[in-house]
Amino acid sequence: MTKTQIIHQLETLIEDAESHRNSDGTLDDVFQKDIEALRFAVVEVKRRSVSLFCSRFQKCRDCPLAHVRCECCCYDIADENELDTILKAIKDSGEAVE
């Protein structure tokens, strides 16, 4: 399974857990904790993808993103939106991240 497929599967599990809302919109504690754990896992898989990309280059100047600015160096502190931006830049650069 690729990282993209893993992320998709985790997001599908989040959607399933969200579908178990009570009529008042609340979630049972188990489903709420499942969602939190799954969201954490999605972010960590994305961080790992960026980390693997970064590890391919000894120096930031060698990174294909360096001409814009080397965005990937801060993947460990990035939130999910920033990670999505970095992963899109990696994809747009033509460098595959599996």
Side-chain angles (χ1 to χ4, degrees):
M1 216 177 201
T2 67
K3 287 182 181 59
T4 302
Q5 291 169 325
I6 292 168
I7 291 168
H8 176 74
Q9 186 62 33
L10 292 169
E11 288 172 341
T12 300
L13 292 169
I14 291 169
E15 288 173 12
D16 179 64
E18 288 278 3
S19 74
H20 294 278
R21 289 196 177 274
N22 298 319
S23 58
D24 65 357
T26 61
L27 273 175
D28 155 301
D29 281 347
V30 172
F31 287 118
Q32 185 60 45
K33 288 179 182 178
D34 286 348
I35 291 168
E36 290 172 24
L38 290 163
R39 286 190 175 140
F40 179 84
V42 167
V43 170
E44 290 307 308
V45 170
K46 289 178 180 183
R47 279 196 177 113
R48 178 74 176 142
S49 294
V50 175
S51 173
L52 287 171
F53 175 80
C54 273
S55 69
R56 295 168 46 195
F57 308 99
Q58 286 189 340
K59 298 180 181 172
C60 284
R61 70 172 181 253
D62 299 331
C63 175
L65 305 181
H67 67 283
V68 178
R69 73 179 167 90
C70 192
E71 299 175 34
C72 52
C73 291
C74 297
Y75 66 86
D76 58 329
I77 58 171
D79 67 20
E80 188 172 6
N81 290 331
E82 292 167 324
L83 290 167
D84 288 341
T85 300
I86 295 167
L87 289 168
K88 182 180 180 325
I90 291 169
K91 182 180 177 187
D92 292 348
S93 76
E95 299 287 331
V97 178
E98 284 299 321

